[in-house]
Amino acid sequence: MDGQVEARVSHEVDEWLRWLPRWRPGTHRGRVRLCKRCFGSPILSAAGLADGVPHGVQHAFSMRMKSIIDSEVDEYTSRNLPLLHREIRLAEDRKARRPYRAGEGLDPEFAGLELDPEPVDDQPFLFTLGGLEEQAAASALEPPPRAFSEEEKAALRTEVKLADDFAKQIGRRICIAVALESSRLRTSVDDLVEPQIAELLADLDRELDSPSWPTL
Ligand SMILES: [Zn+2]
C-alpha cells in the first residue's frame, strides 16, 4: 500500500473542513426520499458523522470520499481492465455528444443530489431538469450499442467484478483513514454546525411564542 488513498483522504478532509464554516441550515422543504449516497454509509459511520449531523454536511463529505473511490477505480481500470476501460470510454463518448447534461460539473456539496424538487400531486412542473436531459438524450443521434458475444460478456463480467472488489477495498481503506480523523471531524461539527442548529431552534421557539399566534 503506497499511502496514496490515505493522502487523498487527508486532502479531502482538509477541504471539507475549510468548506464547513460556510454551511448554513437549509430553509427548503425537507426531502422525503433518503439519499442513496449517505443513508447507511459505512464511511460516514467510520468518520463519526452518521448520527445527528445535517444531511447537507454529510453529503458534502460523502461526495468528496466518493470522488476518491471513483478516481482510484478509474486508474485501476485503465491499467488493468482493458475491456471495461474500453466500454466506459465508449459510454463517455456517447454521453459527451449529448447537447444537455444536467448535474455535471457541480461542486462536491451539490453533486449527486436530486436536481429537481419533489413532485407535488396537484401541481405538475412545466419542465424538470431530469426531463430536459432525457429529451436531449433521446434527440441525440446515437448508434445502437454493439452486441457482445458470450465470451465477451463473461470477460466483461469478470472485469466488472474485479473493479467492484477494488472499489470495496478502497472504501475500506477510506473507512480506516477517516476513523483516525473522527475526533477532529466531530469537534468541527460541534463547533460550527451545532450552534447554528441551536440558533434555528431558538428562533423557532420565539416564533411559536410570538403574540401574533392565536392563543388557544
Ligand atoms: Zn447525501
Side-chain angles (χ1 to χ4, degrees), residues 35-76:
C35 175
K36 294 196 289 278
R37 303 271 176 228
C38 299
F39 184 69
S41 157
I43 292 178
L44 286 177
S45 295
L49 300 174
D51 298 308
V53 179
H55 176 240
V57 171
Q58 291 179 324
H59 194 80
F61 192 85
S62 298
M63 294 312 290
R64 288 194 177 277
M65 297 306 133
K66 180 181 177 296
S67 72
I68 300 174
I69 298 180
D70 289 350
S71 74
E72 290 286 331
V73 171
D74 280 353
E75 267 179 57
Y76 175 81

Short mmCIF file of all heavy atoms in Angstrom, two decimals, residues 35-76:
data_model
loop_
_atom_site.label_atom_id
_atom_site.label_comp_id
_atom_site.label_asym_id
_atom_site.label_seq_id
_atom_site.Cartn_x
_atom_site.Cartn_y
_atom_site.Cartn_z
N CYS A 35 -31.22 9.82 0.94
CA CYS A 35 -30.12 9.94 -0.01
C CYS A 35 -29.37 8.61 -0.09
O CYS A 35 -28.93 8.07 0.92
CB CYS A 35 -29.18 11.06 0.44
SG CYS A 35 -27.72 11.20 -0.59
N LYS A 36 -29.22 8.12 -1.33
CA LYS A 36 -28.56 6.82 -1.53
C LYS A 36 -27.08 6.86 -1.13
O LYS A 36 -26.51 5.87 -0.73
CB LYS A 36 -28.62 6.42 -3.02
CG LYS A 36 -30.01 6.13 -3.53
CD LYS A 36 -29.93 5.39 -4.85
CE LYS A 36 -29.43 6.28 -5.97
NZ LYS A 36 -30.44 7.14 -6.60
N ARG A 37 -26.47 8.05 -1.30
CA ARG A 37 -25.04 8.16 -1.00
C ARG A 37 -24.78 8.16 0.50
O ARG A 37 -23.72 7.74 0.93
CB ARG A 37 -24.49 9.47 -1.56
CG ARG A 37 -24.69 9.66 -3.01
CD ARG A 37 -23.54 9.06 -3.79
NE ARG A 37 -23.81 9.18 -5.20
CZ ARG A 37 -23.68 8.18 -6.05
NH1 ARG A 37 -23.26 7.01 -5.63
NH2 ARG A 37 -23.96 8.35 -7.32
N CYS A 38 -25.71 8.72 1.27
CA CYS A 38 -25.43 8.96 2.68
C CYS A 38 -26.09 7.96 3.62
O CYS A 38 -25.50 7.59 4.64
CB CYS A 38 -25.87 10.37 3.06
SG CYS A 38 -25.00 11.64 2.12
N PHE A 39 -27.31 7.53 3.28
CA PHE A 39 -28.04 6.68 4.22
C PHE A 39 -27.32 5.33 4.37
O PHE A 39 -27.09 4.63 3.39
CB PHE A 39 -29.48 6.48 3.75
CG PHE A 39 -30.30 5.69 4.72
CD1 PHE A 39 -30.64 6.24 5.95
CD2 PHE A 39 -30.70 4.40 4.43
CE1 PHE A 39 -31.38 5.52 6.87
CE2 PHE A 39 -31.45 3.67 5.34
CZ PHE A 39 -31.78 4.23 6.56
N GLY A 40 -26.95 4.99 5.60
CA GLY A 40 -26.28 3.72 5.87
C GLY A 40 -24.83 3.67 5.39
O GLY A 40 -24.25 2.59 5.30
N SER A 41 -24.24 4.84 5.08
CA SER A 41 -22.86 4.84 4.56
C SER A 41 -21.84 4.41 5.63
O SER A 41 -21.75 5.03 6.69
CB SER A 41 -22.51 6.26 4.07
OG SER A 41 -21.11 6.44 4.07
N PRO A 42 -21.07 3.35 5.35
CA PRO A 42 -20.05 2.93 6.33
C PRO A 42 -18.97 3.99 6.50
O PRO A 42 -18.36 4.08 7.57
CB PRO A 42 -19.47 1.64 5.74
CG PRO A 42 -19.92 1.58 4.32
CD PRO A 42 -21.11 2.47 4.16
N ILE A 43 -18.74 4.79 5.45
CA ILE A 43 -17.70 5.84 5.56
C ILE A 43 -18.15 6.92 6.55
O ILE A 43 -17.39 7.36 7.40
CB ILE A 43 -17.38 6.43 4.17
CG1 ILE A 43 -16.68 5.37 3.31
CG2 ILE A 43 -16.53 7.69 4.29
CD1 ILE A 43 -16.34 5.79 1.89
N LEU A 44 -19.44 7.33 6.46
CA LEU A 44 -19.95 8.33 7.41
C LEU A 44 -19.91 7.78 8.84
O LEU A 44 -19.57 8.51 9.78
CB LEU A 44 -21.38 8.76 7.05
CG LEU A 44 -21.53 9.68 5.83
CD1 LEU A 44 -23.00 9.95 5.55
CD2 LEU A 44 -20.79 11.00 6.04
N SER A 45 -20.23 6.48 8.99
CA SER A 45 -20.18 5.87 10.33
C SER A 45 -18.75 5.91 10.87
O SER A 45 -18.52 6.30 12.01
CB SER A 45 -20.62 4.42 10.29
OG SER A 45 -21.96 4.35 9.94
N ALA A 46 -17.80 5.50 10.00
CA ALA A 46 -16.40 5.46 10.45
C ALA A 46 -15.91 6.86 10.82
O ALA A 46 -15.11 7.03 11.74
CB ALA A 46 -15.51 4.87 9.36
N ALA A 47 -16.43 7.87 10.10
CA ALA A 47 -16.00 9.25 10.36
C ALA A 47 -16.68 9.84 11.59
O ALA A 47 -16.36 10.94 12.02
CB ALA A 47 -16.29 10.12 9.14
N GLY A 48 -17.68 9.10 12.13
CA GLY A 48 -18.43 9.62 13.28
C GLY A 48 -19.45 10.66 12.87
O GLY A 48 -19.87 11.49 13.68
N LEU A 49 -19.85 10.65 11.59
CA LEU A 49 -20.79 11.67 11.10
C LEU A 49 -22.15 11.07 10.73
O LEU A 49 -22.94 11.70 10.04
CB LEU A 49 -20.20 12.37 9.86
CG LEU A 49 -18.87 13.09 10.05
CD1 LEU A 49 -18.34 13.61 8.70
CD2 LEU A 49 -19.01 14.25 11.02
N ALA A 50 -22.41 9.83 11.19
CA ALA A 50 -23.64 9.17 10.75
C ALA A 50 -24.88 9.69 11.48
O ALA A 50 -25.97 9.70 10.91
CB ALA A 50 -23.52 7.66 10.92
N ASP A 51 -24.70 10.10 12.72
CA ASP A 51 -25.88 10.49 13.50
C ASP A 51 -25.82 11.94 13.96
O ASP A 51 -24.76 12.44 14.30
CB ASP A 51 -26.00 9.60 14.75
CG ASP A 51 -26.18 8.14 14.35
OD1 ASP A 51 -27.07 7.87 13.54
OD2 ASP A 51 -25.38 7.31 14.82
N GLY A 52 -27.00 12.58 13.95
CA GLY A 52 -27.10 13.93 14.50
C GLY A 52 -26.37 14.98 13.68
O GLY A 52 -26.03 16.03 14.20
N VAL A 53 -26.10 14.69 12.41
CA VAL A 53 -25.40 15.66 11.55
C VAL A 53 -26.34 15.96 10.37
O VAL A 53 -26.86 15.04 9.76
CB VAL A 53 -24.07 15.08 11.03
CG1 VAL A 53 -23.35 16.06 10.13
CG2 VAL A 53 -23.17 14.67 12.19
N PRO A 54 -26.56 17.26 10.06
CA PRO A 54 -27.48 17.58 8.95
C PRO A 54 -27.03 16.94 7.63
O PRO A 54 -25.83 16.80 7.38
CB PRO A 54 -27.40 19.11 8.84
CG PRO A 54 -26.85 19.56 10.14
CD PRO A 54 -26.00 18.46 10.67
N HIS A 55 -28.01 16.59 6.79
CA HIS A 55 -27.68 15.87 5.55
C HIS A 55 -26.72 16.64 4.65
O HIS A 55 -25.81 16.06 4.06
CB HIS A 55 -28.95 15.48 4.79
CG HIS A 55 -28.62 14.84 3.48
ND1 HIS A 55 -29.03 15.36 2.28
CD2 HIS A 55 -27.85 13.75 3.17
CE1 HIS A 55 -28.55 14.60 1.31
NE2 HIS A 55 -27.85 13.62 1.81
N GLY A 56 -26.90 17.96 4.54
CA GLY A 56 -26.03 18.75 3.66
C GLY A 56 -24.57 18.62 4.06
O GLY A 56 -23.66 18.57 3.21
N VAL A 57 -24.33 18.56 5.36
CA VAL A 57 -22.96 18.44 5.88
C VAL A 57 -22.42 17.04 5.57
O VAL A 57 -21.29 16.86 5.11
CB VAL A 57 -22.97 18.70 7.42
CG1 VAL A 57 -21.63 18.38 8.03
CG2 VAL A 57 -23.38 20.14 7.69
N GLN A 58 -23.28 16.03 5.80
CA GLN A 58 -22.87 14.65 5.49
C GLN A 58 -22.62 14.48 3.99
O GLN A 58 -21.64 13.85 3.58
CB GLN A 58 -24.01 13.67 5.85
CG GLN A 58 -24.28 13.53 7.31
CD GLN A 58 -25.43 12.56 7.55
OE1 GLN A 58 -26.38 12.50 6.77
NE2 GLN A 58 -25.34 11.80 8.62
N HIS A 59 -23.52 15.04 3.19
CA HIS A 59 -23.46 14.81 1.75
C HIS A 59 -22.16 15.37 1.15
O HIS A 59 -21.53 14.73 0.30
CB HIS A 59 -24.68 15.45 1.07
CG HIS A 59 -24.86 14.99 -0.34
ND1 HIS A 59 -25.45 13.80 -0.66
CD2 HIS A 59 -24.49 15.56 -1.51
CE1 HIS A 59 -25.45 13.65 -1.97
NE2 HIS A 59 -24.87 14.71 -2.51
N ALA A 60 -21.79 16.56 1.60
CA ALA A 60 -20.54 17.15 1.10
C ALA A 60 -19.37 16.22 1.40
O ALA A 60 -18.47 16.04 0.58
CB ALA A 60 -20.32 18.51 1.74
N PHE A 61 -19.40 15.60 2.59
CA PHE A 61 -18.32 14.68 2.97
C PHE A 61 -18.37 13.41 2.12
O PHE A 61 -17.36 12.97 1.57
CB PHE A 61 -18.46 14.33 4.47
CG PHE A 61 -17.26 13.64 5.03
CD1 PHE A 61 -16.17 14.36 5.49
CD2 PHE A 61 -17.21 12.26 5.11
CE1 PHE A 61 -15.06 13.72 6.01
CE2 PHE A 61 -16.09 11.61 5.62
CZ PHE A 61 -15.01 12.34 6.07
N SER A 62 -19.58 12.83 1.99
CA SER A 62 -19.74 11.59 1.21
C SER A 62 -19.22 11.78 -0.21
O SER A 62 -18.54 10.90 -0.76
CB SER A 62 -21.21 11.20 1.07
OG SER A 62 -21.78 10.94 2.29
N MET A 63 -19.58 12.91 -0.85
CA MET A 63 -19.21 13.10 -2.24
C MET A 63 -17.71 13.29 -2.41
O MET A 63 -17.14 12.87 -3.41
CB MET A 63 -19.97 14.29 -2.85
CG MET A 63 -21.46 14.08 -2.96
SD MET A 63 -21.95 12.49 -3.68
CE MET A 63 -21.46 12.72 -5.38
N ARG A 64 -17.07 13.91 -1.42
CA ARG A 64 -15.60 14.04 -1.50
C ARG A 64 -14.96 12.65 -1.43
O ARG A 64 -14.01 12.36 -2.17
CB ARG A 64 -15.08 14.94 -0.38
CG ARG A 64 -15.42 16.40 -0.61
CD ARG A 64 -14.63 17.32 0.29
NE ARG A 64 -14.96 18.69 -0.05
CZ ARG A 64 -14.40 19.37 -1.05
NH1 ARG A 64 -13.46 18.79 -1.78
NH2 ARG A 64 -14.77 20.60 -1.31
N MET A 65 -15.47 11.79 -0.54
CA MET A 65 -14.89 10.45 -0.42
C MET A 65 -15.21 9.61 -1.67
O MET A 65 -14.40 8.83 -2.14
CB MET A 65 -15.41 9.74 0.84
CG MET A 65 -15.01 10.43 2.12
SD MET A 65 -13.21 10.69 2.26
CE MET A 65 -13.14 12.40 2.75
N LYS A 66 -16.40 9.82 -2.22
CA LYS A 66 -16.78 9.09 -3.44
C LYS A 66 -15.84 9.48 -4.59
O LYS A 66 -15.46 8.64 -5.40
CB LYS A 66 -18.22 9.42 -3.81
CG LYS A 66 -18.68 8.70 -5.06
CD LYS A 66 -20.11 9.07 -5.40
CE LYS A 66 -20.55 8.41 -6.69
NZ LYS A 66 -19.82 8.85 -7.88
N SER A 67 -15.45 10.75 -4.63
CA SER A 67 -14.57 11.19 -5.73
C SER A 67 -13.23 10.46 -5.65
O SER A 67 -12.60 10.17 -6.67
CB SER A 67 -14.38 12.71 -5.70
OG SER A 67 -13.55 13.07 -4.61
N ILE A 68 -12.79 10.13 -4.42
CA ILE A 68 -11.52 9.38 -4.28
C ILE A 68 -11.71 7.97 -4.83
O ILE A 68 -10.89 7.47 -5.61
CB ILE A 68 -11.09 9.30 -2.79
CG1 ILE A 68 -10.88 10.70 -2.23
CG2 ILE A 68 -9.83 8.44 -2.65
CD1 ILE A 68 -10.60 10.74 -0.75
N ILE A 69 -12.82 7.32 -4.43
CA ILE A 69 -13.08 5.95 -4.91
C ILE A 69 -13.16 5.96 -6.44
O ILE A 69 -12.52 5.15 -7.11
CB ILE A 69 -14.40 5.38 -4.31
CG1 ILE A 69 -14.28 5.30 -2.79
CG2 ILE A 69 -14.71 4.00 -4.91
CD1 ILE A 69 -15.51 4.77 -2.08
N ASP A 70 -13.92 6.91 -7.00
CA ASP A 70 -14.09 6.97 -8.45
C ASP A 70 -12.75 7.11 -9.16
O ASP A 70 -12.48 6.41 -10.14
CB ASP A 70 -14.99 8.14 -8.84
CG ASP A 70 -16.44 7.90 -8.46
OD1 ASP A 70 -16.77 6.75 -8.08
OD2 ASP A 70 -17.25 8.84 -8.54
N SER A 71 -11.91 8.03 -8.67
CA SER A 71 -10.67 8.24 -9.43
C SER A 71 -9.70 7.07 -9.25
O SER A 71 -8.98 6.70 -10.18
CB SER A 71 -10.04 9.60 -9.11
OG SER A 71 -9.46 9.56 -7.86
N GLU A 72 -9.70 6.44 -8.06
CA GLU A 72 -8.85 5.25 -7.86
C GLU A 72 -9.31 4.11 -8.77
O GLU A 72 -8.49 3.41 -9.38
CB GLU A 72 -8.88 4.79 -6.40
CG GLU A 72 -8.19 5.73 -5.43
CD GLU A 72 -6.67 5.67 -5.52
OE1 GLU A 72 -6.13 4.61 -5.87
OE2 GLU A 72 -6.03 6.71 -5.24
N VAL A 73 -10.64 3.91 -8.84
CA VAL A 73 -11.17 2.82 -9.67
C VAL A 73 -10.90 3.12 -11.16
O VAL A 73 -10.54 2.22 -11.91
CB VAL A 73 -12.68 2.60 -9.40
CG1 VAL A 73 -13.29 1.63 -10.40
CG2 VAL A 73 -12.90 2.07 -7.99
N ASP A 74 -11.02 4.39 -11.55
CA ASP A 74 -10.70 4.76 -12.94
C ASP A 74 -9.25 4.39 -13.28
O ASP A 74 -8.98 3.82 -14.34
CB ASP A 74 -10.86 6.27 -13.15
CG ASP A 74 -12.31 6.65 -13.34
OD1 ASP A 74 -13.15 5.72 -13.43
OD2 ASP A 74 -12.62 7.85 -13.36
N GLU A 75 -8.34 4.76 -12.37
CA GLU A 75 -6.92 4.47 -12.60
C GLU A 75 -6.69 2.97 -12.72
O GLU A 75 -6.00 2.50 -13.63
CB GLU A 75 -6.09 4.99 -11.41
CG GLU A 75 -5.54 6.39 -11.60
CD GLU A 75 -4.77 6.82 -10.37
OE1 GLU A 75 -3.79 6.11 -9.98
OE2 GLU A 75 -5.15 7.84 -9.79
N TYR A 76 -7.28 2.23 -11.78
CA TYR A 76 -7.12 0.77 -11.76
C TYR A 76 -7.68 0.15 -13.04
O TYR A 76 -7.06 -0.72 -13.65
CB TYR A 76 -7.85 0.23 -10.52
CG TYR A 76 -7.89 -1.27 -10.41
CD1 TYR A 76 -6.80 -1.98 -9.92
CD2 TYR A 76 -9.03 -1.99 -10.78
CE1 TYR A 76 -6.84 -3.37 -9.81
CE2 TYR A 76 -9.08 -3.37 -10.68
CZ TYR A 76 -7.98 -4.06 -10.19
OH TYR A 76 -8.03 -5.42 -10.09
#
